[in-house]
Amino acid sequence: MSPKKSDDGPKQAPLIGRFGTSLKIGIVGLPNVGKSTFFNVLTKSQASAENFPFCTIDPNESRVPIPDERYDYLCQFHKPLSKVPAFLNVVDIAGLVKGAHAGQGLGNAFLSHISACDAIFHMTRAFEDEDIIHVEGCVDPVRDMEIIHEELRLKDVELIGPIIEKLEKVAVRGGDKKLKPEYDIMCKIKNWVVDEKKHVRYNHEWNDKEIEVLNKYLLLTSKPMIYLVNLSEKDYIRKKNKWLVKIKEWVDSHDPGALVIPFSGGLELKLQDMSDEEKKKYTEEHKTQSVLTKIIKTGYSALQLEYFFTAGPDEVRAWTVRKGTKAPQAAGKIHTDFEKGFIMAEVMKFADFKEEGSENAVKVRYFFRSRFNITFR
C-alpha cells in the first residue's frame, strides 16, 4: 500500500494569470520601436521589419529554446537520441498607437492579441535615427510608455463596465447572494483601475478571493511586464543614454519591482550574423555582450514557469511546470499514471551530478533526496 501523502508545508500563494504551461509572452510597443527586429533576432526568424507603421498586422509567433548550460552539459554527457529543451513562446504584436482602445490604427485587433498573451515585453525606443519614422514625431520613451500603459488601462475600463453592470443586475437587483462577493470584488477592481487609474499588477495585496475573480476575467493590466529599452549600438556599448535614468525613475514610481533591461537591437542583429569566433572577438574588442539570454530567461520566469530535467541515453528533456508545482503533479507531466500512483520522487542536484560524474556516484556519496511532497522552486 502506498504511504499516505503528506499535505505539510506552506500553502502556495495563488498566482494572477492563466493556469497552464503553454503560456505566451507578447512584444508590445509603439510602431517602429524595434519589436520585429528583436523578434527576428530572438527567434532567428524573418518576420517583416520594414520602416513604416503597422508593418506587422498578424502576430508572428515562435518558440525560443531557453539557454541553459545544464541542459547542454546533459546532452553532451548522455549523447541522447532525442533532445527537448524548455521553450519560451513569443508573440510579435503590431504597434499600438494613442487611441488604440477606441480602434485607432489597428487597435482593437492588436489589443485582442495582447489579451491572448500571459506576460508582456514592453519595448520602448531610446535611439535616434532619421531614417526610422517615429509615430509621435520624436523620440521620447517615457511618453511612449505612458501611451501604452494608458491604452491598456482604458481597454480594461471598457471591459470592467459591462461586467459590473451584469453582476449588479443579478447580484444586487436580482438578490443573488452567491454572486454578491464577486460583485463587491469587481467594484474594488473598478475603483483601482478606473478611479485611481492604476494597473491591476501594481497592487501586490490582492487576496485569494480577489485573485480568483481577476483570473476569471484576465484583465490586460494584470499581466506581468518587463521593460526593454532599445538603444543604439554606440549607447549600449558605452552604457550611456540620456533616457535611461528617466525610464528607470518612471518604472520605479509607476510599476515598482518591474525589471528594466537595456539592449541594442542593432547590435544583436549584427552579432547574429557572425560566427562564434567573430562574435567572441567583436564582443571582447568592444567590451560588450549580448543580453538575449537574460531577456529570454526573464520572460520565462515572468510567466511563473520553471522546469526539471529527465536525462538518459534515450532522451534529455526539460519538463515545464508552474512555479510551486508539487512532485506528484510534476511527475504527471511525464505521464498521468506517475501522478496517480505517486509514491516518492528521486531527485539530485545538477551540481552534484556534474561533480560526481554519474547518477550512481551521486547515490553512493549523497543518496537521493527523496521526498513525498517536493515543491519545485
Side-chain angles (χ1 to χ4, degrees), residues 288-349:
T288 191
Q289 60 184 356
S290 169
V291 76
L292 284 185
T293 294
K294 179 180 180 180
I295 292 173
I296 294 168
K297 289 185 174 181
T298 304
Y300 189 81
S301 179
L303 292 171
Q304 302 294 331
L305 299 175
E306 57 190 354
Y307 52 88
F308 64 95
F309 297 110
T310 54
D314 292 330
E315 181 179 72
V316 170
R317 178 185 286 258
W319 299 89
T320 296
V321 294
R322 289 275 279 181
K323 287 182 179 177
T325 298
K326 292 186 180 295
Q329 289 69 49
K333 290 291 293 183
I334 302 172
H335 196 289
T336 53
D337 288 348
F338 291 174
E339 180 177 356
K340 293 174 184 175
F342 184 83
I343 297 175
M344 68 177 185
E346 292 185 336
V347 299
M348 66 174 66
K349 289 183 179 179

Side-chain angles (χ1 to χ4, degrees), residues 156-212:
D156 277 356
V157 170
E158 282 187 12
L159 296 171
I160 290 170
I163 292 170
I164 289 184
E165 286 178 14
K166 184 176 180 180
L167 287 171
E168 184 177 15
K169 182 179 179 181
V170 178
V172 180
R173 297 198 297 270
D176 189 330
K177 294 182 179 179
K178 289 183 179 179
L179 286 176
K180 183 61 166 59
E182 182 176 332
Y183 171 76
D184 292 338
I185 290 171
M186 282 305 304
C187 287
K188 179 178 179 180
I189 294 169
K190 175 181 179 290
N191 178 68
W192 183 262
V193 176
V194 179
D195 300 331
E196 297 192 35
K197 299 185 177 181
K198 295 179 180 179
H199 282 209
V200 168
R201 72 180 176 283
Y202 296 175
N203 187 342
H204 300 288
E205 304 299 325
W206 299 112
N207 62 37
D208 293 9
K209 292 292 184 182
E210 290 163 349
I211 290 176
E212 188 177 323

Side-chain angles (χ1 to χ4, degrees), residues 124-128 139-142 229-248 262-263:
T124 189
R125 171 180 168 181
F127 66 88
E128 300 280 354
V139 173
D140 184 340
V142 173
V229 184
N230 195 1
L231 306 172
S232 67
E233 180 179 344
K234 178 182 176 182
D235 284 356
Y236 178 76
I237 290 174
R238 68 188 185 131
K239 299 179 180 178
K240 287 184 179 180
N241 179 279
K242 67 179 182 179
W243 293 107
L244 284 176
V245 172
K246 295 176 182 178
I247 291 170
K248 187 66 169 65
F263 83 107

